[in-house]
Amino acid sequence: MPKYIFVTGGVVSALGKGIAAAATGALLEAKGLRVTMQKLDPYINVDPGTLSPFEHGEVFVTDDGCETDLDLGHYERFTHVRSGVFNNFTTGKIYNNVITKERRGDYLGDTVQVVPHITDEIKNAIKAAATDEYDIAIVEIGGTVGDIESLPFLEAIRQFRYDVGRENVLYMHLTLVPYIRAAGELKSKPTQHSVKELREIGIQPDILICRSEMPLSAEVKRKIALHCNVDPDAVIAALDVETVYEVPVCFKAEGMDKLLERKLSLNRPEPELSIWEEVAHRIKQPKYDTTIAIVGKYVGLKDAYKSLSEALIHGGAANNARVHLQWVDSEEIEKKGTELFLSEVDGILVPGGFGTRGIEGKIEAIRYAREKKIPYFGICLGMQTAVIEFSRNVCGLKANSTEFDPEIDAPVIYLMEKWYNHRTGRIEERTRESQMGGTMRLGAYPCVLKEGTHAFNAYGAKEISERHRHRYEFNNKYRDIITCSGLIISGTSPDGELVEIVELKDHPWFLGCQFHPEFKSKPIEPHPLFKAFIGASLKEKLELFHLNEGQ
Ligand code: GLN
C-alpha cells in the first residue's frame, strides 16, 4: 500500500496548489520513489469537459481519453505519472456513482447520506488510483478550505488517516503569507485562520507551504509554527519564482525532502535534482529570443492554453531560447488586419478551439504565415483552418468546415459518419444526435508518418501516438485536389483514412496536426514538434539577422 500525501489550500485560490503538489511529486521521484497523483475537484460537473475555458482554464486530456482538470497537466509535466480515468474525480462523478448504485439497489434499503456513502465513495476513488505499484500517492483537493463544496472531500481525507494508519498519511496545507507594503511586514494571521478552519473539521496539517513574495524570517516561521501547531521546520517558504520548474529545487532548499523523509519514514537517499537545476537554468538564462503569436479566442485567460504555453517554454529551452508569447485575439485581426499584429513575430500558432467566432481572423493569420513564409504551427482547429485557408486561396474552392457553415460548397473539414477506432478496434458511428454532443475523438491514437517530412524529421520515428479532442476531420473527398495543389499529408491513422498531419512544400516550416501535442510535452522531454517549430522560428530570425549584419 502506498503512503498518502493530501494537499489542501487555504486563504485564497490560485496560489499554485497544483504546482506545489506536482513539485512534491518531482522531489519524491528524485528520491527514487514511485509516485502517483490525483485531483479531487469539488464542482458538480461530472468532468471538466463541459466547463468553459474562460472560467476554468484548459481541459487536459489523458491517453485513455478523459477530459480532466488542468492540474493533471502539471502532474504529468513534473513527474512520470501518466494519468487516466482514476486520477481526477469531481463531486459530480462521486455523486453519479453513488446515485447509480442506489438506483441499482446496492445499498439495500439504507438511507443514502453524505456520511458514510459519499465519503466512502471518495475514499474508494482515492484508493482506485493508489495501487500497490506506487510508494506515494499525492492527492490534491481542489478549492479553498472554508468552501462548502469541499467539505465531503475533507471529511473523507480526515477519516483516511484512521483507515490506513497515522504513519501512512501526511497533510500538507498551502497558504498565503501576504506582505503588507505600508507596514513593511509579513502577516501570518490569514494562515492561522486557515489552519484553525482545518482543525475545526478535524485535520491538523503536518506541513505548511507558505506562498509569499518575501522571504520568511526564522521569527515569522516560528510564529506560524507556534500558532498553527506544527513543527518549526515544517513551515516551508514558497517564494515567487522565475520559472515553476525551479520549485522542486526550492523545496529541497527549504528542507522539504528531509521533512517528508522523517514524517513518512521513507528511508531513501537524498533527492537527485540536477536535471531540474539544469532545466531551470536553461529557461532562465537562454542565449536567444523569439516571439510567437498565438492567434486564438481565449487570449484573455492564459490558463485556457496552459499546456500550450508550457510546451512553448519547453520548445524554447530545447533551442536555448526564451519564447515571448504575443496573444492575438483573432477577432481583432478581422477588424484591423494581419499586418498590425503579425509583422514583427518570428512564428505564428493557431491553437485548438470550438465555435465560429474569430475563425476568419485565424484563416487570415494563416494566409499571412503561408505567403510571408513565417513558420506556422496549427493545432487541431489550427490544422483544420490551415486546410480551409489552403483550399480557398490555393485550390480556389469555396471551402469551410461544416462546424462553421453546414451548407458550404466544399466541406473540406466535416463530421465523419463512420470511422475505425484503432484504440477500441471498433467502427464508430456518429448518429445525428451524437454529432451534436457526445462523440468526440478523445485520447491517444496512433499516427503513421511519411518519411522525409518535417513531422518525420522532428519525431525521428515512423509511428507515433498523440492525444485528440475534436469532432471534425479532414474530408477525404478533397484529398486529391488539395494534395495536387501542394499540401502534403505527412501523418495519417495506420489505415490511412484519417488525416492527422498536413504540411506545406516550399515553406520553411508550416505544419498542422489534428491532435494536441502540447499535452505530452515536458520540460525534461520537450515535444519534438514544439522543439522543431521554435527551432524554425529561430532559424529564420537568425538568418535574417546575419543577412542584415553582413550588409
Ligand atoms: N472544433 C474542432 C473540432 O471539433 C476543433 C477542436 C479542437 O481544436 N480541439 O473538430
Side-chain angles (χ1 to χ4, degrees):
M1 186 194 72
K3 301 194 178 201
Y4 293 84
I5 299 176
F6 292 107
V7 185
T8 54
V11 186
V12 288
S13 62
L15 287 180
K17 196 160 22 112
I19 306 261
T24 305
L27 194 65
L28 291 169
E29 278 195 348
K31 283 169 82 69
L33 291 153
R34 297 163 306 166
V35 175
T36 184
M37 304 201 60
Q38 188 185 47
K39 174 90 192 273
L40 303 178
D41 276 310
Y43 47 79
I44 296 174
N45 306 60
V46 174
D47 64 52
T50 53
L51 285 169
S52 157
F54 278 124
E55 235 179 72
H56 200 76
E58 149 190 294
V59 174
F60 185 77
V61 180
T62 59
D63 270 342
D64 65 356
C66 291
E67 298 178 283
T68 69
D69 188 83
L70 59 74
D71 276 323
L72 272 77
H74 296 311
Y75 306 165
E76 291 203 2
R77 286 187 284 274
F78 275 89
T79 68
H80 290 88
V81 168
R82 270 291 176 95
S83 311
V85 63
F86 298 128
N87 297 79
N88 189 196
F89 283 85
T90 65
T91 293
K93 198 157 157 187
I94 297 287
Y95 270 80
N96 209 18
N97 291 351
V98 169
I99 291 168
T100 306
K101 286 183 184 168
E102 189 272 336
R103 292 289 84 188
R104 218 168 43 204
D106 287 11
Y107 298 118
L108 299 170
D110 276 3
T111 306
V112 182
Q113 292 176 300
V114 173
V115 183
H117 299 93
I118 295 294
T119 44
D120 280 354
E121 191 65 31
I122 295 170
K123 290 194 282 183
N124 289 339
I126 294 169
K127 286 183 195 142
T131 54
D132 282 338
E133 53 183 302
Y134 300 107
D135 301 309
I136 307 278
I138 302 176
V139 183
E140 179 191 346
I141 318 294
T144 307
V145 168
D147 297 346
I148 301 172
E149 284 95 340
S150 47
L151 278 175
F153 287 119
L154 296 174
E155 170 58 14
I157 66 166
R158 182 194 69 79
Q159 293 175 12
F160 216 87
R161 187 171 241 179
Y162 291 88
D163 295 351
V164 301
R166 289 205 139 259
E167 64 291 0
N168 296 320
V169 171
L170 187 140
Y171 299 111
M172 203 181 247
H173 187 55
L174 186 81
T175 71
L176 176 71
V177 178
Y179 178 70
I180 308 297
R181 218 157 283 275
E185 264 180 61
L186 284 165
K187 289 293 179 193
S188 65
K189 196 69 91 189
T191 298
Q192 293 177 38
H193 279 294
S194 178
V195 170
K196 184 167 164 255
E197 203 136 6
L198 255 187
R199 298 222 315 257
E200 265 168 27
I201 49 180
I203 297 173
Q204 165 64 52
D206 301 290
I207 296 179
L208 293 176
I209 302 180
C210 299
R211 293 281 287 112
S212 169
E213 53 177 311
M214 289 285 171
L216 265 54
S217 65
E219 186 47 43
V220 172
K221 282 189 174 182
R222 220 176 3 252
K223 188 172 166 196
I224 293 174
L226 179 71
H227 288 286
C228 298
N229 202 24
V230 300
D231 300 336
D233 67 346
V235 180
I236 301 283
L239 301 191
D240 297 343
V241 280
E242 223 178 297
T243 160
V244 292
Y245 302 117
E246 271 181 276
V247 178
V249 179
C250 297
F251 276 0
K252 178 169 185 272
E254 279 286 304
M256 173 84 98
D257 64 304
K258 298 233 164 54
L259 207 57
L260 294 171
E261 182 71 48
R262 190 176 83 226
K263 294 207 179 269
L264 287 172
S265 317
L266 297 176
N267 295 321
R268 291 289 170 142
E270 286 255 306
E272 216 312 82
L273 287 173
S274 52
I275 193 152
W276 289 105
E277 280 160 9
E278 201 189 304
V279 161
H281 176 77
R282 246 183 299 143
I283 292 175
K284 281 161 64 174
Q285 274 153 1
K287 193 163 163 203
Y288 306 112
D289 281 273
T290 180
T291 304
I292 303 295
I294 300 183
V295 183
K297 186 164 77 170
Y298 309 111
V299 292
L301 182 82
K302 307 290 181 288
D303 265 2
Y305 299 115
K306 193 71 206 165
S307 295
L308 179 71
S309 44
E310 292 303 312
L312 285 163
I313 293 173
H314 310 158
N319 284 288
N320 203 359
R322 188 186 308 279
V323 180
H324 302 276
L325 303 183
Q326 191 164 309
W327 300 89
V328 180
D329 180 346
S330 54
E331 283 184 300
E332 289 294 306
I333 291 189
E334 287 168 15
K335 286 184 215 139
K336 299 179 186 148
T338 38
E339 199 63 34
L340 179 64
F341 302 100
L342 304 176
S343 60
E344 303 279 302
V345 304
D346 305 311
I348 297 175
L349 189 151
V350 173
F354 293 83
T356 317
R357 202 151 61 75
I359 289 297
E360 293 303 321
K362 290 179 190 175
I363 292 173
E364 274 315 301
I366 296 167
R367 178 178 199 158
Y368 190 85
R370 183 174 58 77
E371 291 180 346
K372 305 264 181 205
K373 303 221 184 293
I374 301 170
Y376 173 74
F377 193 7
I379 295 179
C380 204
L381 180 65
M383 175 259 192
Q384 298 175 352
T385 40
V387 171
I388 297 168
E389 191 281 323
F390 190 84
S391 309
R392 283 186 192 172
N393 301 325
V394 179
C395 309
L397 295 170
K398 239 182 132 200
N400 212 335
S401 161
T402 53
E403 180 178 7
F404 316 126
D405 185 352
E407 307 302 330
I408 191 73
D409 285 5
V412 290
I413 304 292
Y414 79 137
L415 276 175
M416 271 184 159
E417 276 164 22
K418 283 189 183 156
W419 51 282
Y420 177 65
N421 186 337
H422 282 267
R423 247 206 11 249
T424 59
R426 276 202 318 256
I427 301 276
E428 302 280 348
E429 284 193 48
R430 284 197 172 98
T431 59
R432 185 81 200 121
E433 202 177 41
S434 70
Q435 286 181 16
M436 312 303 291
T439 41
M440 277 218 242
R441 184 142 77 100
L442 281 169
Y445 286 89
C447 168
V448 177
L449 304 179
K450 191 166 159 182
E451 280 177 44
T453 57
H454 284 312
F456 183 84
N457 292 343
Y459 282 98
K462 187 104 186 82
E463 185 162 334
I464 55 157
S465 167
E466 292 284 1
R467 299 181 193 170
H468 291 248
R469 182 174 185 249
H470 59 102
R471 293 193 180 84
Y472 295 80
E473 305 280 353
F474 182 100
N475 188 344
N476 285 332
K477 197 173 139 197
Y478 297 93
R479 202 154 164 167
D480 284 346
I481 172 165
I482 292 175
T483 50
C484 285
S485 303
L487 198 78
I488 302 166
I489 293 177
S490 56
T492 65
S493 55
D495 63 2
E497 281 301 303
L498 301 169
V499 171
E500 304 285 38
I501 313 179
V502 299
E503 298 182 12
L504 270 189
K505 269 195 201 122
D506 305 324
H507 190 288
W509 206 89
F510 185 108
L511 185 146
C513 53
Q514 187 56 86
F515 46 80
H516 287 272
E518 69 272 29
F519 293 141
K520 284 179 75 173
S521 188
K522 294 169 172 229
I524 288 166
E525 294 159 37
H527 191 284
L529 291 181
F530 282 91
K531 186 174 164 189
F533 171 55
I534 299 299
S537 316
L538 212 58
K539 184 161 170 273
E540 290 303 298
K541 181 180 166 155
L542 293 178
E543 271 169 17
L544 269 179
F545 178 71
H546 290 312
L547 220 64
N548 291 341
E549 263 197 339
Q551 276 170 6

